[in-house]
Amino acid sequence: MQLNEEIGYQVRRIMGLKETDYAAMAILMREPMGPSELARALHITSAAATAVVDRLVSAGHAVREPHPEDRRRTIIRAVDASRAKTMEHVHPMMNMVEDELKKLDQHGRDAVLQFLTGTASCLESNRDELKGRPVQEQGTLDIWETYGASEEQS
């Protein structure tokens, strides 16, 4: 996971994108959407999403267009040139993974698939469980006191 973060940082650096802008581009490359949907997908406020969209549009990575069914609304779409530039950095990594998979026999590929599918399922369950937890109020948890208390109980 650390290596993935480092690679993501380098791609963002090369493309001149902030972390949230890069996350927005990843979402917009899958499908165009309105600013409020983008805000929800990024887990940020509408105002913050507007700032992200403004930066992406001004850098030429995205465009605002009228919604095809509701002209009062706007959708944000990743431009093809920016999509191609992003994929220019992603494709080599995808090819490297495919090359490694080709080195495995069918049993090995099946084991990798089973591991990745199981891991993804566990992580999704964990994410869903975390989503259901209430927000901790500020100032109500001192990690060092909690840690020390559990040490003393041992």
Side-chain angles (χ1 to χ4, degrees), residues 13 59 85 143:
R13 181 187 61 78
K85 192 69 169 168
I143 187 110

Side-chain angles (χ1 to χ4, degrees), residues 18-141:
K18 295 178 182 237
E19 189 171 355
T20 306
D21 299 359
Y22 184 74
M25 277 299 295
I27 291 167
L28 294 172
M29 284 176 59
R30 288 192 296 270
E31 67 177 310
M33 62 181 57
S36 57
E37 290 111 348
L38 184 61
R40 281 191 297 278
L42 291 169
H43 307 286
I44 60 176
T45 65
S46 294
T50 298
V52 168
V53 170
D54 287 346
R55 285 192 301 269
L56 291 175
V57 168
S58 114
H61 292 296
V63 292
R64 289 180 173 93
E65 298 177 336
H67 191 281
E69 292 148 14
D70 184 351
R71 293 296 198 189
R72 295 170 296 173
R73 295 180 56 211
T74 301
I75 60 167
I76 314 306
R77 180 181 57 79
V79 298
D80 292 340
S82 188
R83 180 188 310 267
K85 192 69 169 168
T86 302
M87 294 312 292
E88 183 180 303
H89 302 293
V90 174
H91 272 127
M93 291 182 287
M94 292 169 61
N95 292 336
M96 288 176 212
V97 171
E98 285 179 16
D99 290 346
E100 289 301 311
L101 283 172
K102 287 176 186 173
K103 295 176 186 177
L104 300 174
D105 62 10
Q106 188 59 46
H107 179 70
R109 285 191 293 275
D110 290 344
V112 169
L113 180 60
Q114 179 183 356
F115 171 77
L116 292 175
T117 302
T119 299
S121 178
C122 290
L123 291 173
E124 288 169 352
S125 294
N126 184 253
R127 176 207 55 210
D128 294 344
E129 191 271 327
L130 290 171
K131 280 174 137 177
R133 290 185 187 181
V135 172
Q136 185 72 45
E137 292 183 30
Q138 287 190 347
T140 61
L141 177 65

